[in-house]
C-alpha cells in the first residue's frame, strides 16, 4: 500500500506516515528497526531527544545514505538483502529523507 504525501508551501512533499523511533524503542538501540524501516521504503523517520536513541537512529540513516544498509557482508563479498532493487544503493539522497524530531527542553546549559 503506497504511503500518501502532503504538499508543503515550498512545493516539497512529506510522507504522511513516519517510522517512529520512540515508544517501544525508547532508551534502546533503534538501529535494526530504523534500518529495516528504510530498507522497506520509509522515507520519514520520527525521533525525539527524549527517546535517548539518537546515536543508533543516526547510524542507520548514515549507512542508508552511504549505501551500506542494504547489504550484508560475507567475507569480501556483499550480498543484497531485502526485496527491493533500491535497498542500500549509493543513490540514496538526503533530500529524499525526512527526519522530524521533538526537543525535550533538557541540556540547556547555564
Amino acid at each position: 500500500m503506497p504511503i500518501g504525501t502532503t504538499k508543503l508551501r515550498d512545493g516539497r512533499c512529506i510522507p504522511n506516515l513516519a517510522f517512529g523511533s520512540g515508544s517501544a524503542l525508547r532508551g534502546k538501540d533503534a538501529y535494526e528497526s530504523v534500518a529495516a524501516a528504510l530498507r522497506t521504503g520509509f522515507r520519514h523517520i520520527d525521533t525525539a531527544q527524549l527517546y535517548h536513541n539518537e546515536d543508533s537512529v543516526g547510524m542507520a540513516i548514515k549507512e542508508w545514505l552511504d549505501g551500506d544498509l542494504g547489504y550484508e557482508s560475507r567475507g569480501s563479498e556483499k550480498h543484497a538483502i531485502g526485496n527491493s532493487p533500491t535497498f542500500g544503493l549509493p543513490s540514496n539522497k538526503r533530500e529524499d529523507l525526512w527526519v522530524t524530531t521533538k526537543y525535550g527542553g533538557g541540556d540547556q546549559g547555564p
Side-chain angles (χ1 to χ4, degrees):
M1 178 167 109
I3 298 171
T5 60
T6 297
K7 189 171 186 175
L8 303 175
R9 289 184 181 187
D10 65 3
R12 296 178 301 153
C13 293
I14 186 170
N16 292 334
L17 183 64
F19 178 81
S21 64
S23 299
L25 299 174
R26 186 174 177 173
K28 298 178 182 173
D29 187 323
Y31 175 85
E32 290 298 330
S33 297
V34 173
L38 291 167
R39 282 195 301 265
T40 57
F42 275 89
R43 294 299 176 259
H44 186 178
I45 306 297
D46 178 66
T47 186
Q49 180 186 30
L50 184 65
Y51 302 161
H52 302 287
N53 57 14
E54 297 100 329
D55 290 346
S56 57
V57 170
M59 183 57 67
I61 291 171
K62 179 187 182 310
E63 290 186 8
W64 180 77
L65 290 170
D66 290 346
D68 293 335
L69 192 58
Y71 295 91
E72 59 184 18
S73 296
R74 293 186 198 140
S76 61
E77 299 179 26
K78 283 188 172 182
H79 300 272
I81 56 177
N83 59 5
S84 168
T86 61
F87 287 176
L89 294 179
S91 61
N92 294 332
K93 296 181 181 114
R94 175 60 183 93
E95 58 265 22
D96 296 331
L97 181 65
W98 291 84
V99 179
T100 54
T101 190
K102 283 89 52 204
Y103 174 63
D107 300 328
Q108 296 180 30

